[in-house]
Amino acid sequence: QVQLIESGGGLVQAGGSTRLSCAASGLTFNAYKMGWFRQTPGKEREFVAHISRSGTNIYYADSVKDRFTISRDNAKNTVDLQMNSLKPEDTAVYYCAAGILGDFKIGYNYWGQGTEVTVSS
């Protein structure tokens, strides 16, 4: 079965950095677009970043542009999210997702269990 397992995150001070990683198994990784989403209590899950199957096309939410960097390694079946200049409003549970159809914000078929990032002010 498909598994997406996130790691990284934790407690970070504002202005600091952290790196999330997602390890995928049970799927042909290079056939899937990959994305990162986040969710805070009481709010809908929101798009953070997307990377295409080959890594050629990358999109970010405006709120994280120029601070976050998404990357993937198709040989290792992993996708990472480097998070710099963190702000308290980046505090959320971050989810890794894999999909085939749809544009960069929709069409994700598989989701990880989430990893929590808390940014203290």
Side-chain angles (χ1 to χ4, degrees):
Q1 71 278 21
V2 176
Q3 283 192 309
L4 300 176
I5 301 176
E6 301 99 336
S7 60
L11 179 63
V12 186
Q13 285 193 332
S17 299
T18 194
R19 189 177 185 91
L20 306 183
S21 187
C22 173
S25 61
L27 75 171
T28 304
F29 186 71
N30 61 11
Y32 284 79
K33 64 181 182 182
M34 299 298 297
W36 285 96
F37 292 75
R38 65 187 181 186
Q39 189 170 23
T40 54
K43 292 188 177 181
E44 290 188 359
R45 187 160 50 192
E46 65 171 352
F47 166 78
V48 174
H50 158 278
I51 187 166
S52 62
R53 290 172 290 181
S54 65
T56 303
N57 296 316
I58 290 176
Y59 299 97
Y60 297 100
D62 288 342
S63 58
V64 307
K65 203 173 294 182
D66 299 325
R67 299 189 298 121
F68 290 11
T69 302
I70 188 171
S71 60
R72 66 187 294 162
D73 186 333
N74 284 347
K76 296 181 179 179
N77 289 6
T78 58
V79 58
D80 291 350
L81 186 68
Q82 177 66 40
M83 306 164 65
N84 299 330
S85 302
L86 283 161
K87 305 175 182 180
E89 50 264 43
D90 294 318
T91 296
V93 177
Y94 284 74
Y95 297 90
C96 168
I100 292 182
L101 301 177
D103 68 15
F104 61 94
K105 286 189 178 181
I106 64 172
Y108 290 90
N109 308 99
Y110 303 106
W111 296 84
Q113 81 286 353
T115 187
E116 192 164 358
V117 174
T118 302
V119 183
S120 62
S121 57

